[in-house]
Amino acid sequence: MAVVAILVAASFLAAAMATAASPVPAIYVLGDSLADVGNNNHLPTILRADFPHNGIDYPGKKATGRFSNGKNSVDFLADNLGLASPPPYLALLSSSSSANYVNGVNFASGGAGVSNATNQGQCIVFDKQIDYFSSVSASLSQSLGQAQATAHLSKSLFAITIGSNDIIHYARSSSAGDSPQPFVDALIQTLTAQLQRLYDLGARKMVFLGTGPVGCCPSLRELSATKNCSAVANDASVRYNAAAASLLSGMAARHPDMSYALFDSSAALLQLINQPAKYGFAEAKAACCGLGDMNAKIGCTPLSFYCSNRTSHIFWDFYQPTETTARMLTSMAFDGSAPLIFPINIRQLSAL
């Protein structure tokens, strides 16, 4: 045990030295496919991305389990902070060597939602992700000591992106004329307990990436005869982001030692979709990789077609953004200002 303690302490010191130039020591990530860096590779699920053509623009042209042609938003967040992108938790769990959690961990899982019923059995549900973080928090306390672990977590960033899958499922099953408000209220009630639990486990700096205009993803556009965005899904997304903003504001008022930055992904991505040429895009509706109308009938598989110039497309597959889109949105969140990122941006949050 003494040897293990020495090794962990040495790893912590090395991590501290390596990130001395960074305002935060680590990033802990929870969420869905927008942030998954390979957790689903370790699950018996159809919701996987560890095969071509995913990763075609990733270093080494390797499919890592990211639902993207290259890097995702978490990778760019880490790049901006001068940190390595946190590894998938399930990869650490299955490793034969002692896991090192001080450099950050990614718990995100493709398909996850606020509700445990969303894609249950096909992903790591959000509550389970928090369970896993609880284990990591306990491990840090054991290896570093309670005081040092608490200080480490209080300085770290907690990046959370969750809710899109819930809204997609709702939009596909809702009846015309239904108000999404009761659905959103139920989601927020669940999310309130989840974020409070993260706070109780040591999270003090939260980056909440709100849901995008999911009604404009190729999969939901394809359901429309006119190929327009789903108004039901986009309405739910706007309501969800507004309610999440109220939730986080209330938490910060109750907990003076907590700070947060909320990114309005819906408004930000709509800027790109509504004026694609202004931001360097040629295609704002169809997916780059897939099959069928708008490449949105079937997802990105080795049998799918994919566009030759990924930088010209906003969407990589029928749900996910391209690497270029993810880079652009992360830049807006990192150095932007209200109303897209508020009450402070990620750079300001990191410096606190």
Side-chain angles (χ1 to χ4, degrees):
M1 289 297 292
V3 173
V4 174
I6 291 172
L7 289 174
V8 171
S11 296
F12 183 78
L13 178 61
M17 293 174 64
T19 60
S22 175
V24 299
I27 309 171
Y28 295 90
V29 182
L30 302 99
D32 54 30
S33 59
L34 296 171
D36 191 348
V37 294
N39 275 308
N40 279 22
N41 295 358
H42 302 270
L43 299 177
T45 176
I46 60 171
L47 303 177
R48 297 168 71 119
D50 56 339
F51 48 77
H53 305 290
N54 296 303
I56 191 172
D57 297 308
Y58 194 79
K61 298 187 179 298
K62 181 181 179 182
T64 60
R66 288 165 172 81
F67 293 76
S68 171
N69 60 300
K71 293 182 177 182
N72 65 22
S73 58
V74 172
D75 298 314
F76 291 119
L77 174 59
D79 287 347
N80 285 339
L81 290 169
L83 299 173
S85 189
Y89 177 71
L90 293 186
L92 295 175
L93 203 61
S94 62
S95 173
S96 58
S97 59
S98 297
N100 179 8
Y101 300 129
V102 296
N103 295 323
V105 186
N106 189 320
F107 305 93
S109 175
V114 173
S115 169
N116 290 335
T118 300
N119 292 317
Q120 190 170 29
Q122 293 293 321
C123 62
I124 311 171
V125 298
F126 195 42
D127 277 331
K128 185 62 177 179
Q129 293 181 37
I130 300 172
D131 288 344
Y132 283 149
F133 172 66
S134 179
S135 297
V136 165
S137 179
S139 178
L140 288 171
S141 295
Q142 184 177 19
S143 59
L144 303 176
Q146 184 63 54
Q148 195 170 6
T150 298
H152 171 75
L153 292 176
S154 71
K155 296 173 185 175
S156 298
L157 276 190
F158 286 76
I160 303 158
T161 174
I162 199 77
S164 294
N165 289 308
D166 303 281
I167 293 173
I168 289 169
H169 280 225
Y170 170 79
R172 286 183 176 276
S173 62
S174 63
S175 301
D178 287 352
S179 170
Q181 196 58 52
F183 158 76
V184 170
D185 290 343
L187 277 189
I188 293 299
Q189 183 177 4
T190 301
L191 184 65
T192 299
Q194 291 164 333
L195 296 188
Q196 180 60 47
R197 188 176 173 211
L198 281 174
Y199 174 87
D200 294 340
L201 290 169
R204 293 297 181 269
K205 294 182 179 181
M206 296 189 190
V207 176
F208 192 89
L209 304 176
T211 57
V214 294
C216 294
C217 69
S219 180
L220 291 186
R221 274 190 190 268
E222 199 276 328
L223 298 178
S224 163
T226 57
K227 310 308 176 190
N228 289 331
C229 300
S230 165
V232 171
N234 282 357
D235 182 22
S237 187
V238 169
R239 292 172 188 248
Y240 173 80
N241 289 341
S246 179
L247 162 57
L248 287 162
S249 176
M251 282 187 69
R254 293 192 305 275
H255 306 298
D257 60 343
M258 176 196 147
S259 302
Y260 72 94
L262 187 147
F263 185 52
D264 188 346
S265 299
S266 182
L269 186 51
L270 275 176
Q271 289 186 353
L272 276 57
I273 291 171
N274 291 335
Q275 294 182 287
K278 177 180 177 180
Y279 295 94
F281 295 103
E283 178 56 65
K285 297 180 180 180
C288 170
C289 183
L291 284 171
D293 190 27
M294 299 177 65
N295 271 348
K297 284 286 190 182
I298 297 176
C300 187
T301 73
L303 300 178
S304 300
F305 298 108
Y306 66 91
C307 59
S308 59
N309 184 6
R310 274 76 68 187
T311 61
S312 68
H313 279 60
I314 289 178
F315 290 97
W316 165 239
D317 62 18
F318 51 16
Y319 290 125
Q320 323 294 336
T322 56
E323 178 185 71
T324 298
T325 305
R327 180 191 292 111
M328 201 171 293
L329 293 175
T330 305
S331 179
M332 291 179 184
F334 199 83
D335 283 313
S337 58
L340 294 184
I341 181 78
F342 58 91
I344 54 179
N345 62 33
I346 297 176
R347 184 184 296 277
Q348 293 165 333
L349 178 66
S350 303
L352 293 177

